[in-house]
């Protein structure tokens, strides 16, 4: 069980399988395994879930009640808590601590010897404003991400809580795209100023909301430090706690089916790429070194499964058993 972290740093304390087929495609094994529905309660509608060591914590709706259930690996119920507020989801912060979000509040979840406790209620909006752009930790403090230049400049900044200073950890730039977006915006604004019309206004909004979307440059903590995957520049950066950095090439994201998402295994520094083909999910094993050519697993029973997590060599996710079925269940498949 994780011990409660008392956050006294610059932020306040927070509240709270059977193998079916294998085929060869471009030198990569494409494998399909049987997807297994985990034995939740018959009328249980699973909203979210998280792992606590070898246990699973379910956030569910059971008939008219919202509950949290803690179960073991065999789904034997260990604890059940009925919630008085309508929950939204679980939230894991940049330090690895879990929280429950309701419509207006956030509660830190503490897994103690006597069961689950909810601590330090806080307004949800304030909680997210403090933590939503915190992406990880270093030996000296916390790592925050920030965006500039129409989201084409992506910076990772270490807040050194020991020396009370900010350090630039990494910056990803696409200035060519920024100047192209800026030129496009100015042109549409001039058109709108000369002849006010809905089309020009829509073009300005499209430039701001769609074309200016940030690139996918995720940060992950690993056992030896951290890794940043700059899909704009086709490179990865590994850093350790002694400040040295290793730069390596990445190519897995050049696939047409690449879905802009990397999954880190819950209990190890193994990474997987999310691929989508017409709504059908595929998971590619990238190993420790993010190399192309790893095994790809087809998840072909469900379209657009949600809440993807990988633990002990299995992909867990939420999906309906049938399209007409009103219950969302927890599933797993070997990867």
């Amino acid at each position: 069980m994780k011990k409660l972290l008392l956050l006294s740093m610059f932020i306040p304390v927070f509240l709270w399988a059977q193998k079916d087929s294998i085929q060869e495609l471009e030198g990569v094994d494409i494998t399909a395994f049987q997807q297994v529905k985990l034995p939740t309660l018959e009328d249980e509608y699973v909203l979210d879930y998280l792992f606590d060591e070898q246990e699973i914590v379910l956030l569910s709706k059971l008939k008219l009640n919202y509950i949290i259930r803690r179960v073991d690996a065999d789904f034997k119920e260990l604890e059940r808590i009925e919630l008085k507020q309508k929950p939204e989801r679980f939230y894991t912060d940049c330090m690895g601590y879990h929280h429950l979000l309701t419509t207006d509040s956030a509660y830190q979840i503490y897994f103690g010897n006597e069961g689950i406790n909810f601590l330090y209620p806080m307004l949800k909006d304030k909680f997210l404003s403090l933590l939503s752009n915190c992406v990880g930790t270093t030996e000296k403090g916390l790592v925050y991400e920030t965006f500039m230049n129409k989201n084409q400049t992506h910076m990772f900044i270490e807040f050194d809580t020991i020396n009370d200073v900010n350090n630039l950890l990494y910056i990803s730039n696409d200035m060519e795209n920024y100047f192209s977006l800026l030129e496009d915006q100015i042109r549409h604004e001039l058109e709108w100023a000369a002849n006010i019309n809905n089309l020009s206004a829509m073009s300005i909004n499209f430039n701001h909301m769609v074309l200016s979307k940030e690139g996918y440059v995720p940060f992950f903590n690993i056992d030896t430090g951290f890794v940043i995957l700059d899909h704009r520049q086709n490179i990865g950066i590994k850093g350790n706690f002694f400040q040295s950095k290793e730069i390596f090439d990445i190519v897995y994201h050049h696939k047409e089916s690449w879905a802009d998402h990397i999954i880190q295994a819950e209990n190890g520094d193994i990474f997987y790429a999310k691929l989508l083909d017409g709504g059908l999910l595929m998971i590619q094993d990238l190993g420790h070194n993010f190399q192309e050519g790893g095994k790809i697993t087809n998840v072909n029973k469900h379209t657009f499964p949600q809440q993807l997590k990988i633990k002990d060599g299995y992909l867990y996710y939420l999906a309906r058993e049938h399209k007409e079925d009103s219950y969302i269940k927890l599933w797993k498949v070997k990867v």
Side-chain angles (χ1 to χ4, degrees):
M1 298 293 181
K2 286 186 177 180
K3 295 182 179 180
L4 174 63
L5 175 66
L6 299 177
L7 302 177
S8 59
M9 300 187 295
F10 91 123
I11 49 179
V13 179
F14 304 109
L15 167 84
W16 25 332
Q18 180 78 20
K19 187 172 181 181
D20 294 322
S21 65
I22 299 178
Q23 66 186 58
E24 191 77 13
L25 179 64
E26 296 180 354
V28 178
D29 284 339
I30 309 293
T31 306
F33 290 97
Q34 181 180 353
Q35 287 134 264
V36 178
K37 182 176 70 171
L38 295 172
T40 54
L41 302 177
E42 182 179 357
D43 296 334
E44 185 173 11
Y45 184 110
V46 183
L47 301 171
D48 205 349
Y49 69 101
L50 57 84
F51 297 103
D52 179 51
E53 297 184 358
Q54 298 305 311
E55 299 169 359
I56 300 178
V57 182
L58 302 167
L59 176 62
S60 305
K61 185 175 183 181
L62 189 62
K63 297 181 179 179
L64 298 178
N65 298 318
Y66 292 98
I67 61 171
I68 287 180
R69 293 201 310 129
R70 187 166 57 92
V71 299
D72 64 16
D74 297 320
F75 269 72
K76 177 184 177 182
E77 185 174 298
L78 304 174
E79 185 176 5
R80 181 186 299 196
I81 299 174
E82 186 170 323
L83 301 173
K84 297 181 180 180
Q85 297 187 53
K86 182 178 179 180
E88 289 187 345
R89 60 189 173 96
F90 290 132
Y91 180 93
T92 302
D93 65 30
C94 57
M95 293 158 283
Y97 292 90
H98 302 302
H99 307 263
L100 173 67
L101 301 186
T102 68
T103 52
D104 58 6
S105 300
Y107 303 82
Q108 184 177 333
I109 304 172
Y110 173 51
F111 299 102
N113 294 330
E114 298 180 359
I116 296 173
N117 291 288
F118 303 104
L119 309 173
Y120 311 113
M122 189 176 190
L123 289 175
K124 183 181 70 174
D125 291 345
K126 182 178 181 181
F127 171 83
L128 292 176
S129 71
L130 290 167
L131 279 181
S132 61
N133 67 333
C134 180
V135 295
T137 62
T138 67
E139 188 181 43
K140 295 181 180 180
L142 305 177
V143 179
Y144 285 82
E145 64 179 354
T146 187
F147 299 90
M148 297 173 58
N149 299 329
K150 289 183 158 299
N151 293 324
Q152 304 310 297
T153 297
H154 190 163
M155 294 187 293
F156 292 93
I157 298 172
E158 175 196 47
F159 178 73
D160 183 340
T161 56
I162 297 175
N163 301 304
D164 196 26
V165 295
N166 291 330
N167 302 308
L168 181 61
L169 200 62
Y170 180 74
I171 182 167
S172 172
N173 264 323
D174 190 345
M175 297 310 293
E176 181 179 352
N177 197 42
Y178 165 65
F179 287 118
S180 176
L181 289 168
L182 187 61
E183 181 181 349
D184 185 60
Q185 176 185 329
I186 292 172
R187 178 170 57 84
H188 289 307
E189 288 177 347
L190 290 174
E191 290 174 355
W192 184 80
N195 180 21
I196 297 176
N197 59 80
N198 289 336
L199 181 60
S200 296
M202 289 172 59
S203 297
I204 294 171
N205 287 334
F206 185 78
N207 176 287
H208 177 67
M209 300 179 66
V210 179
L211 299 180
S212 299
K213 182 181 177 180
E214 63 270 15
Y216 182 55
V217 185
F219 177 103
F220 299 99
N221 276 118
I222 57 177
D223 287 342
T224 56
F226 65 86
V227 62
I228 298 171
L229 301 174
D230 191 339
H231 296 103
R232 281 177 169 155
Q233 307 298 330
N234 303 316
I235 59 172
I237 302 93
K238 282 186 178 180
N240 62 31
F241 294 135
F242 301 99
Q243 305 302 313
S244 63
K245 294 179 182 178
E246 170 197 351
I247 298 177
F248 55 94
D249 295 329
I250 53 175
V251 298
Y252 56 82
H253 58 301
H254 293 157
K255 289 186 178 68
E256 186 176 348
S257 55
W258 163 243
D260 271 0
H261 189 65
I262 294 290
I263 304 170
Q264 182 180 19
E266 294 279 324
N267 52 345
D269 291 344
I270 301 175
F271 293 82
Y272 300 80
K274 176 183 176 182
L275 310 174
L276 283 175
D277 184 6
L280 294 177
L281 174 67
M282 297 180 290
I283 299 294
Q284 181 170 18
D285 186 348
L286 301 176
H288 297 83
N289 298 316
F290 304 94
Q291 297 303 306
E292 177 68 327
K295 182 183 72 176
I296 295 178
T297 301
N298 273 332
V299 184
N300 50 23
K301 187 178 179 69
H302 303 102
T303 56
F304 301 109
Q306 302 297 311
Q307 297 296 89
L308 311 178
K309 299 178 184 180
I310 295 176
K311 186 174 189 292
D312 296 330
Y314 283 87
L315 169 71
Y316 292 76
Y317 63 90
L318 299 179
R320 299 180 190 275
E321 184 169 12
H322 307 290
K323 289 183 179 179
E324 66 276 9
D325 195 342
S326 60
Y327 292 105
I328 291 179
K329 297 295 185 179
L330 180 61
W331 300 75
K332 75 173 184 178
V333 60
K334 186 175 177 59
V335 293

